[in-house]
Amino acid sequence: MPGRSEPSALPSIALRGYGDSIWLEGWSVLLEQKGTRRRIPLPAIEGARAVGAGQGSVEIAVWGADGAPGPVFVVEGRDAGQAGRLVEVVNRARPKSAPDGGGADLVEVLAVVQAAGRKRMSPRERVASLAVLMLYVAGAALLGLFGEPVQVLLWVLGALPILLGLVIVGPAVVNARDRWVLRKRGVAVVALFDRAHGRRRFFTYIDLEGGVHEIQADYAAKGLAGDPPRIDVLYDSLHPEKAVCSLARSTLVWRAVGVGLLGGLLLLVGLSMTLLPLAFLAVS
């Protein structure tokens, strides 16, 4: 009776933790923690076990060298059943003896994503922001000296709809500008699904030079030919890390209409509340 053939790869079990992830791919364990992704091949693993409250987390111990313990990686998860399945598969498939020199040298760091720091304003943006603030304060002071209390109140409250309108219109204008630029120098590629955090989906694509880049998928991005793990992406040939998801023309039109109506209405209301008091003061 012929024996059962060995699987060509491990089952692709995944455990999503609190910002961290661990999954099986090929004959390796891939682990992502705090922006660092590592590949730990099975020969490097001394053992795996479920740990933490409710046994929902996974601990991966790597073989040490010369009798010293090796590094240990822990992913804090939330699904005890999934953690148990992952641990069982890893312990069943891993070699039972340590490689020469231990397993630490076999662990690969695939990517390190720096946490996005606070974006600093350019000198031009700082000057523009300061000018707007000074204009706002000067307008309030002018109305306070020569205007009516109602006019001062309208001026002060008018800043809120203006800010809300800019929050809606600003990103849409930037996105439209990027899409316009990419019409001229964009390169169309297919991006493959990589991971998900909550409702956010992340895909990776490879540029013409072989560089690997990541993009967060637009919620309206459709799978290529009905295949959800693949989407169309257009990246900037001069800056390959900048890309947008290809969207249906009808989606772009409806978005433009929605942004124009809502954002434009808020801006109109806010400008009316701030400019009309100044107009009344000028003619009085």
Side-chain angles (χ1 to χ4, degrees), residues 39 45 88 106 112 125 129 155 162 198-199 203 217 220 227 245:
R39 175 184 284 119
I45 297 176
E88 180 183 0
L106 301 179
V112 178
E125 290 173 335
S129 300
W155 175 271
I162 290 178
R199 294 185 177 182
F203 289 71
D227 186 9
C245 298

Side-chain angles (χ1 to χ4, degrees), residues 190-193 203 222-232:
V190 173
L192 301 179
F193 177 77
F203 289 71
K222 302 297 183 182
L224 181 63
D227 186 9
R230 293 173 173 82
I231 60 173
D232 285 318

Side-chain angles (χ1 to χ4, degrees), residues 39 49 108 124 141 148 198 202 224 235 240 243:
R39 175 184 284 119
R49 64 191 184 106
E108 300 177 75
R124 180 180 298 179
E148 300 292 335
F202 295 88
L224 181 63
Y235 78 83

